[in-house]
Amino acid sequence: MQVLRQALQEWYNSHQRDLPWRHTNDPYAIWLSEIILQQTRVDQGLPYYQRFLSNYPDVLQLAAATQQEVLNLWQGLGYYSRGRNLHATAQQIAQDYSGVFPDTHEGLLKLKGVGPYTAAAIASFAYNLPHAVIDGNVFRVLSRYFGIEAPINSTEGKPIFEALAKELLDQGNPALHNQAIMEFGALQCKPVSPNCSACPVLTTCSAHRNNQVALLPIKLKKVKVRKRFFVYHLQQNAQKQLAFQKRGPKDIWEGLFEFPLTEFADENQLKSYLADQIIIGGRFQHILTHQRIEAYFVVDPNWNQMHSDVIFLDLAGLQDHPIPRLIDKFLIAHSNELF
Ligand code: SF4
């Protein structure tokens, strides 16, 4: 711990970039820089930071601006919800805190859009309070240096990294320590091609010793959820039986029976179709591991696109035909109105 702690600060003293938010302990300016730099590169965010500070030198002036003015200044940074949140938080500080930033970690966490990372950054940089920041750079440095294989975004990994970051923190100079480890991750222990050959902790770095630099940190891949929009057509014959079709291969529910289906590519197409339909039962949501289905059941007398393999079934006939849970849920709620 001590070796890394000291090496980080020495490295930082000779390698740090000269960035304007490092020359201030004004919580407003630090908060501004943190919000602007979320999902934004330093060189891209820098002119925005300067523009915001010169237009709104303090939080009360930012709060007094209109949302349109703030968004105009934000233009080009993307993620406009961040711009709107920035303005809303400024107004919260103006109204609830008389324009004065909270000066504790817990107090900062009560601000809109301020999570544990931003609260620790403001608490340490503005007030030199001993709270360890953990951003992507810190995760990477800790994971590689200590050889932690637990995924950084897993419930198992998070407490391990939090405990390590806390233990490593220089209690006597948290602001310098936090800046140093983040800068080290950004410039030296980079995601791709870290500069190991010139690294001050090369001999004690676990990842380097064990040839794991390219493997760490480990991050769990988020499962991509596909959204699907289904409209089921409730078509009855003279015996009041309902039309069903069997689902084909290479998709969910192969071989199960469902009402004749139209699938829409997106929500807009779905909405425009539904605008003049009689919908039974409103919206049904059905969640599968990799899919989220939004389904509607409609009665459309003009619809006539049934396949030749359609069969008509009543409730008794359905006993012998397997149906997806979604269709089952609909029938449980609405079969009285149909049969
Ligand atoms: S030796 Fe390489 S992987 Fe280890 S801390 Fe230094 S730069 Fe990072």
Side-chain angles (χ1 to χ4, degrees):
M1 283 283 168
Q2 180 55 27
V3 172
L4 178 60
R5 193 181 294 128
Q6 197 175 330
L8 286 172
Q9 293 187 20
E10 283 169 8
W11 176 92
Y12 182 70
N13 286 335
S14 53
H15 291 84
Q16 63 173 293
R17 290 167 291 183
D18 185 16
L19 299 170
W21 46 85
R22 292 188 176 152
H23 297 294
T24 179
N25 55 9
D26 173 6
Y28 168 66
I30 291 163
W31 165 74
L32 205 51
S33 73
E34 291 296 338
I35 303 296
I36 287 173
L37 291 178
Q38 284 167 10
Q39 292 147 318
T40 301
R41 291 192 323 272
V42 166
D43 58 338
Q44 194 196 357
L46 184 58
Y48 285 88
Y49 169 80
Q50 288 161 332
R51 227 172 287 154
F52 265 94
L53 262 192
S54 78
N55 277 267
Y56 310 115
D58 58 49
V59 72
L60 289 176
Q61 292 185 58
L62 177 58
T66 65
Q67 189 185 77
Q68 193 54 49
E69 286 165 340
V70 173
L71 292 182
N72 285 346
L73 212 56
W74 189 269
Q75 199 167 328
L77 264 181
Y79 303 99
Y80 283 84
S81 58
R82 279 195 290 145
R84 277 190 291 274
N85 287 340
L86 180 89
H87 188 227
T89 310
Q91 292 186 323
Q92 182 192 11
I93 295 166
Q95 283 155 20
D96 301 347
Y97 298 86
S98 312
V100 180
F101 267 76
D103 58 3
T104 62
H105 187 255
E106 304 74 58
L108 288 161
L109 277 173
K110 293 196 177 118
L111 299 178
K112 282 180 200 151
V114 172
Y117 163 77
T118 311
I122 302 171
S124 61
F125 303 151
Y127 308 118
N128 211 20
L129 292 171
H131 293 278
V133 292
I134 311 183
D135 69 348
N137 291 318
V138 177
F139 273 123
R140 188 166 56 256
V141 173
L142 295 178
S143 167
R144 286 178 176 166
Y145 185 80
F146 294 104
I148 313 290
E149 292 178 15
I152 58 174
N153 55 343
S154 66
T155 41
E156 169 209 0
K158 276 184 188 162
I160 297 174
F161 286 100
E162 277 166 17
L164 261 183
K166 206 171 165 184
E167 202 185 331
L168 183 66
L169 183 72
D170 181 348
Q171 299 282 333
N173 202 342
L176 176 64
H177 172 89
N178 280 339
Q179 294 284 17
I181 191 167
M182 287 202 291
E183 191 77 334
F184 185 80
L187 302 182
Q188 181 84 22
C189 194
K190 295 177 290 185
V192 180
S193 310
N195 192 3
C196 298
S197 57
C199 178
V201 291
L202 177 75
T203 54
T204 46
C205 172
S206 166
H208 187 261
R209 270 205 316 263
N210 299 311
N211 206 16
Q212 283 188 309
V213 176
L215 294 177
L216 298 175
I218 292 170
K219 195 171 183 186
L220 294 178
K221 283 208 176 73
K222 283 214 176 101
V223 179
K224 215 168 176 249
V225 176
R226 176 182 169 203
K227 281 191 184 174
R228 301 181 74 171
F229 305 97
F230 287 1
V231 171
Y232 283 112
H233 302 275
L234 303 169
Q235 298 284 304
Q236 275 179 320
N237 63 11
Q239 291 77 43
K240 291 198 99 186
Q241 294 169 312
L242 280 167
F244 283 84
Q245 288 173 341
K246 195 176 186 176
R247 281 190 71 90
K250 295 193 183 138
D251 199 354
I252 53 169
W253 305 333
E254 180 181 349
L256 304 191
F257 287 82
E258 61 181 1
F259 305 117
L261 168 70
T262 303
E263 179 165 7
F264 290 84
D266 60 51
E267 203 165 3
N268 290 339
Q269 287 183 24
L270 171 81
K271 279 189 181 154
S272 74
Y273 175 77
L274 288 176
D276 29 67
Q277 297 302 322
I278 300 164
I279 300 169
I280 310 281
R283 185 176 70 144
F284 280 72
Q285 282 246 52
H286 194 70
I287 295 168
L288 303 166
T289 316
H290 298 130
Q291 301 189 20
R292 201 168 79 210
I293 297 165
E294 191 170 311
Y296 291 85
F297 297 79
V298 303
V299 177
D300 177 1
N302 301 319
W303 189 81
N304 190 17
Q305 295 164 35
M306 279 187 278
H307 298 172
S308 54
D309 61 354
V310 71
I311 53 170
F312 284 89
L313 298 168
D314 54 21
L315 277 181
L318 266 176
Q319 305 298 322
D320 307 323
H321 295 80
I323 55 175
R325 175 87 187 107
L326 170 63
I327 303 293
D328 194 31
K329 279 196 286 190
F330 171 77
L331 286 172
I332 288 169
H334 297 285
S335 61
N336 288 348
E337 301 156 46
L338 298 165
F339 291 104

